[in-house]
Amino acid sequence: MRWDIFCQIVDNYGDAGVCWRLARSLSSLHGQEVRIFCDDLPTLNLLASGVDPAIKDKIDIQPWEASYSNARHPVQTPDVVIEAFGCELPERYLAGLFIAPIKPLIINLEYLSAEPWIVDFHAKASPQSHGISKYFFFPGFQKEVGGILVDPIPPEGEKVAKQIPYDLKAVWAKLRSGAKRISIFCYPGAPLRKWLEDLGALGEDVDILLTHGHAELLNLYGEQPIQLPSNLQLLSLPFVSQDDLDWVLSQCDFNIVRGEDSFVRAQLAGKPFIWHIYPQEDRAHEVKLAAFLDLYLEEANQELRLATIAAMTWAMPSQWFKALDLWSTHSKAWRMQLLKNQEDGGLAARLLRFVA
Ligand code: TRH
């Protein structure tokens, strides 16, 4: 089938990250013909970088405006149109669909959520005045909803520890054996300085891997760089491919992630993590976080519950770090459970079955 994915980038990398990962899955794992229209090609190409050309070249990446041309020649009408994260389709592209001999199916792909109410909205029709069928599609953890975008499923960390990606060899050479490793990918609002100072005071050797842009966040190269005890080593990573980021997450003892895509990758890495959820005005993100923790901690004992909730709500490490081993065991089990629940192929496969 022919798929047109519309990717409008609000900010950050996630909109592009999720759209690219979906396009890659549909194209390389499910043999679909995929085209992406994006309003910020530099960001999309950044997220698509580092991918095997045999996979990348099969996906037709186009600027948003290129979708207008359909208006005149509806020969390439797609079978499915995806509005990623509820972005509006361009008027002129829609006009092209109106005169198309065979009408496509429009899918409004929503944000990932663990909240129970999505079960009632998933796969529901969204009647349109123009008469082209449109449906809501909710990614989620429950079996009744759209599933999780797990592709490509990352291997377990132990199995690939020696396969150091080329871009990371220099940093990896500086890691100290026996030191714990923590990677950081968060939003500017995170209390990172205080968090690192508190962690440093615990006295344990920890190598901190700062993802692209976070050294600046910590003003490491500015006038008053952060002063940390020598048991903490800060190392700055370049922007790496999605698969190399998966590798980093799998090689760390703890990860701080954010948004949507890295949130899922951290779970697939099978390691403990903090989800720095995208803050929303009306504090809706706190409800969203709580809904996820309800699922994530279903099998957890009181000690782990308290430690995980404390960590995810930015309590200082001294209040929960002692539960790390317990949390590590839990994270491995959560990865297994997640993969079991998505053994039908997850979001991409469920989307295919839905439109078939
Ligand atoms: O960048 P994000 O904060 O994106 C967010 C979310 O999408 C959120 O839902 C949306 O509302 C908000 O943007 C506007 O976080 P996320 O979702 O984890 O996406 C980051 C992507 O960047 C992910 O695909 C991984 C990728 N990435 C790399 O490929 N290499 C890197 O070095 C880094 C740091 C990230």
Side-chain angles (χ1 to χ4, degrees), residues 10-15 17 21 47 111 185 187 211 238-242 245 258-263 278:
V10 180
D11 56 8
N12 304 315
Y13 306 113
D15 307 301
R21 192 180 293 285
L47 270 295
Y111 287 100
F185 179 49
Y187 295 117
T211 59
F239 193 93
V240 294
S241 72
Q242 286 186 317
L245 184 70
R258 69 187 207 190
E260 179 156 333
D261 192 53
S262 59
F263 163 56
Y278 189 76

Side-chain angles (χ1 to χ4, degrees), residues 196 206-210 218 220 226 228 232-236:
L196 288 170
V206 184
D207 290 335
I208 304 289
L209 301 169
L210 298 170
L218 277 172
L220 273 192
I226 185 172
L228 290 169
L232 285 197
Q233 174 182 218
L234 297 182
L235 295 164
S236 198

Side-chain angles (χ1 to χ4, degrees), residues 146-157:
I148 305 287
L149 188 51
V150 292
D151 309 319
I153 296 175
E156 284 177 75

